[in-house]
Amino acid sequence: MAVAFFSVNSESGLKKLDECLLTRSYITGYQASKDDITVHAALSKPPPPEYVNVARWYNHIEALLRISGVSGEGCGVTIEGSAPAEAVATPPAADTKTSAAEDDDDDDVDLFGEETEEEKKAAEERAAAVKASGKKKESGKSSVLMDVKPWDDETDMKKLEEAVRSVKLDGLLWGASKLAPVGYGIKKLQIMLTIVDDLVSVDNLIEDYLTAEPVNEYVQSCDIVAFNKI
């Protein structure tokens, strides 16, 4: 079902958009889509910080556009005085192969959800192809989506994120993040990062820095949710 917004650059329009994003991460559905690109393009400038939910969403979409692009089709969105959704250009994503079953199943296309069997298979095929060719791009980059889990519900998640971002390495760039519920009052940090393949290994980043002192005071474990070559 198409969604309509009224003049998102006005105070009333921004307020409505902020209320809409209070309980959701994206304009429609469970992954970034052309609907998010349409609304993002309709904004004449970054939203004021007092519109907390809009600002959080805007920064997240900005990060996705820089790192991996947005490939979801969305449900359709219209904005008074803006171009139709199909007229908005969308940067290509790292991997746009999805099956019809994935399009119909929201759980499979959740950006911050569990990696699907299809995604795992695709990642294995890409790794096998690189190994078989024996070639490696110079200074290649990868975008990574990671789950960072605290020790318990008493862990200060703000300090946890500060500890994670305090890890600074050549070839490592931290991106957008958000907190997501795990259960029993516990939340996890979901964070995006970009690495230069020749300089940073994600496995070493986790083992030597994110789960080692002093960061492990807050971090119990880290899981790679998605890994895409740029």
Side-chain angles (χ1 to χ4, degrees), residues 200-212:
V200 180
S201 162
V202 178
D203 290 338
N204 290 342
L205 172 64
I206 294 174
E207 182 176 352
D208 297 338
Y209 296 93
L210 298 181
T211 55

Side-chain angles (χ1 to χ4, degrees), residues 5-18 38-48 50-51 54 57-58 78-83:
F5 291 99
F6 176 82
S7 186
V8 292
N9 289 301
S10 68
E11 183 176 348
S12 60
L14 278 172
K15 184 177 180 181
K16 287 292 184 182
L17 182 58
D18 195 68
T38 298
V39 179
H40 180 277
L43 290 166
S44 59
K45 59 183 179 180
E50 58 262 31
Y51 297 101
V54 180
W57 163 84
Y58 184 91
T78 57
I79 301 172
E80 182 176 319
S82 67

